[in-house]
Amino acid sequence: MRIITGKYKGRHFDIPRSFKARPTTDFAKENIFNVLTQYVDFDDCEALDLFSGTGSISLELISRGCQRVVSVELDRDHHRFIQDCLKKLNDNTCIPIRGDVFRFLKSCKQQFDFIFADPPYALKELPLIPDIIFDKQLLKPEGVFVFEHGKDYDFSQHAHFAEHRSYGSVNFSLFTTAVKADE
């Protein structure tokens, strides 16, 4: 796993082979972040990384200048890996939380400029996540939510849907706080 750009550009972290996490590929990560430059100024941004897995997105966010990143991951080993990566960078911008994403979302009172979620593709609650984000008003005005999911999902009818991007087998749906007009 490597950091694509920013102050930690090129840093590599070896992911243990025993990990169940499926990190976003470097190719997909680089392309989606290129798209996001149209939507988000990461400098001084407050971000939330849900289902953090290896922490690849959290590390990319802090490298790009986010002032604060909250990283939520349930798996004990993955959470420890994220903490170890942050120690290697000597960076305290990211707050790694070990816990259930749905419990975190239920109690979260903060709003974020940017939210990224990469749940397991087989997660039965996966289709509910965009509604939870918007029902809980977790995005600040002008905020952006990026949702990584499998090819079998289509969120284009969601009121906050902005666009869909696909890079190989990796699919991203982008949402904004703006509600799209009826067509």
Side-chain angles (χ1 to χ4, degrees):
M1 172 180 84
R2 76 179 168 96
I3 298 176
I4 304 296
T5 198
K7 64 184 174 182
Y8 301 123
K9 178 182 178 176
R11 294 289 299 264
H12 286 264
F13 300 92
D14 294 325
I15 300 169
R17 291 186 180 196
S18 61
F19 273 23
K20 298 171 281 203
R22 164 198 36 79
T24 303
T25 65
D26 287 349
F27 174 75
K29 184 169 58 170
E30 184 168 9
N31 280 289
I32 196 63
F33 272 95
N34 286 340
V35 170
L36 289 171
T37 60
Q38 303 171 54
Y39 290 93
V40 181
D41 177 7
F42 290 106
D43 288 332
D44 301 323
C45 175
E46 291 188 330
L48 175 62
D49 182 11
L50 300 170
F51 305 96
S52 300
T54 62
S56 174
I57 299 297
S58 292
L59 296 173
E60 193 69 40
L61 290 167
I62 63 173
S63 183
R64 290 171 184 258
C66 284
Q67 81 175 31
R68 184 166 171 257
V69 177
V70 176
S71 173
V72 183
E73 173 55 45
L74 180 61
D75 186 275
R76 176 181 42 101
D77 294 332
H78 297 177
H79 178 259
R80 188 177 309 122
F81 179 77
I82 294 167
Q83 289 178 310
D84 291 345
C85 291
L86 293 168
K87 284 178 188 168
K88 287 176 185 173
L89 294 175
N90 194 26
D91 193 304
N92 60 1
T93 306
C94 182
I95 301 164
I97 295 173
R98 181 172 172 244
D100 177 77
V101 165
F102 295 101
R103 281 191 181 150
F104 174 85
L105 292 174
K106 186 176 182 179
S107 65
C108 184
K109 304 288 187 233
Q110 182 182 351
Q111 287 187 314
F112 299 89
D113 301 293
F114 179 75
I115 299 174
F116 187 94
D118 180 12
Y121 289 0
L123 184 72
K124 69 178 177 147
E125 298 91 351
L126 186 145
L128 306 175
I129 294 170
D131 287 335
I132 294 169
I133 298 294
F134 289 99
D135 290 349
K136 292 283 295 171
Q137 298 179 353
L138 296 175
L139 278 177
K140 292 179 184 177
E142 311 299 321
V144 176
F145 168 46
V146 174
F147 192 37
E148 185 174 335
H149 55 83
K151 65 179 175 9
D152 297 333
Y153 293 95
D154 177 6
F155 294 97
S156 61
Q157 297 306 307
H158 193 280
H160 294 278
F161 178 82
E163 67 177 288
H164 174 263
R165 296 292 177 122
S166 178
Y167 305 104
S169 63
V170 180
N171 289 268
F172 297 101
S173 290
L174 283 74
F175 302 83
T176 64
T177 51
V179 176
K180 61 182 180 178
D182 291 333
E183 296 164 21

